[in-house]
Amino acid sequence: MLDLSAKSGVIENFLTHDEMLELRKHFLTTTPTHSSLNDTVYGIDKKNIRHYYWFQKTLFAKLQNIFRQDLKLAWAMYCLFTKSFDIHNDNNVNLPEDNAESYVVCLIPFAVNNDPKQCNKASTLIFTKEENPNYAEDHKNYLSNNPIDLVKKFKVKKIHNWNSGDLIWWTSEMDHAGSHFTDKLQKKECWSIHTYCLLYTSDAADE
């Protein structure tokens, strides 16, 4: 099991380019929906059984071997982003089972501006909830889409630079945000995978 004490990290070269092309091909057969920012996403969860079981047997099995065998999939998305979300977390959001708790979020960069080699123009930032003494610089360099008063309240813990095929992970309670879009960064393509685990009661443990 991967040590999660750092709260976030990177597994380099998690997928090859050919593996991502195959993964992307499959996700594009799902019905597209839109994020709250009106960007296009292609999602997989328990509601589309065929895709869900395919994902469980392929990529998700690889994640279980890294994190824990009882890891469960809340949802996975192939995302075509042109706008960044404000600082937030997805802890215990839309879990498909009762008695469950969010575990880790995984992000796999694919391309920036339709080019995997431009992924280094993007990053994912992880925060702690405390006063940010560098808020003005962080707002200018990474987070200009966020209200500056929000950036003041979150200190950057880690900046994970994108590289196509890497896996960026963070524990679900951590606040995070993607770097802002600029004239040189107008589109991000990635997979976002949200996971959870069941909470075991004392009665279940005794059985």
Side-chain angles (χ1 to χ4, degrees):
M1 253 173 58
L2 188 69
D3 181 6
L4 304 184
S5 59
K7 301 295 185 180
S8 71
V10 176
I11 300 172
E12 296 180 352
N13 303 313
F14 180 71
L15 294 177
T16 67
H17 185 66
D18 286 345
E19 285 173 329
M20 287 188 289
L21 289 177
E22 187 63 28
L23 191 66
R24 181 176 180 268
K25 179 181 176 181
H26 196 103
F27 267 82
L28 291 177
T29 66
T30 67
T31 302
T33 58
H34 291 92
S35 73
S36 59
L37 298 179
N38 208 35
D39 279 328
T40 302
V41 296
Y42 296 82
I44 289 176
D45 60 18
K46 283 187 173 180
K47 295 175 184 176
N48 42 11
I49 296 297
R50 180 171 62 88
H51 295 293
Y52 177 81
Y53 283 114
W54 165 83
F55 190 76
Q56 287 278 105
K57 293 177 181 178
T58 54
L59 183 63
F60 201 71
K62 193 172 181 178
L63 294 178
Q64 287 174 317
N65 288 334
I66 292 171
F67 292 104
R68 51 192 288 177
Q69 287 298 316
D70 62 347
L71 191 69
K72 290 179 172 286
L73 175 66
W75 71 90
M77 301 181 295
Y78 176 64
C79 310
L80 307 176
F81 286 144
T82 61
K83 296 172 283 293
S84 289
F85 293 99
D86 288 352
I87 299 168
H88 69 288
N89 70 65
D90 305 292
N91 200 34
N92 295 330
V93 174
N94 295 329
L95 297 183
E97 297 186 70
D98 296 330
N99 199 36
E101 185 174 60
S102 294
Y103 193 68
V104 294
V105 180
C106 300
L107 184 147
I108 304 172
F110 177 63
V112 164
N113 300 332
N114 301 313
D115 181 3
K117 293 181 180 179
Q118 292 190 45
C119 274
N120 59 3
K121 294 181 178 179
S123 56
T124 297
L125 293 83
I126 309 297
F127 303 91
T128 54
K129 289 187 179 75
E130 57 183 308
E131 184 177 349
N132 181 358
N134 300 313
Y135 71 89
E137 183 179 354
D138 291 339
H139 187 264
K140 177 182 177 181
N141 292 336
Y142 301 101
L143 299 164
S144 64
N145 60 297
N146 289 257
I148 196 163
D149 286 344
L150 181 64
V151 180
K152 288 180 180 180
K153 299 176 183 178
F154 291 88
K155 185 177 180 181
V156 176
K157 176 179 172 64
K158 190 72 177 180
I159 299 173
H160 295 295
N161 295 319
W162 279 27
N163 181 57
S164 187
D166 285 356
L167 184 143
I168 302 169
W169 64 267
W170 57 91
T171 55
S172 296
E173 80 281 1
M174 297 302 291
D175 292 287
H176 59 278
S179 56
H180 55 208
F181 287 82
T182 67
D183 289 343
K184 295 182 180 179
L185 198 175
Q186 299 197 5
K187 182 181 178 183
K188 300 176 189 175
E189 296 176 65
C190 65
W191 286 271
S192 177
I193 304 163
H194 296 253
T195 71
Y196 70 99
C197 290
L198 294 179
L199 297 173
Y200 294 101
T201 65
S202 57
D203 290 342
D206 293 337
E207 291 178 357

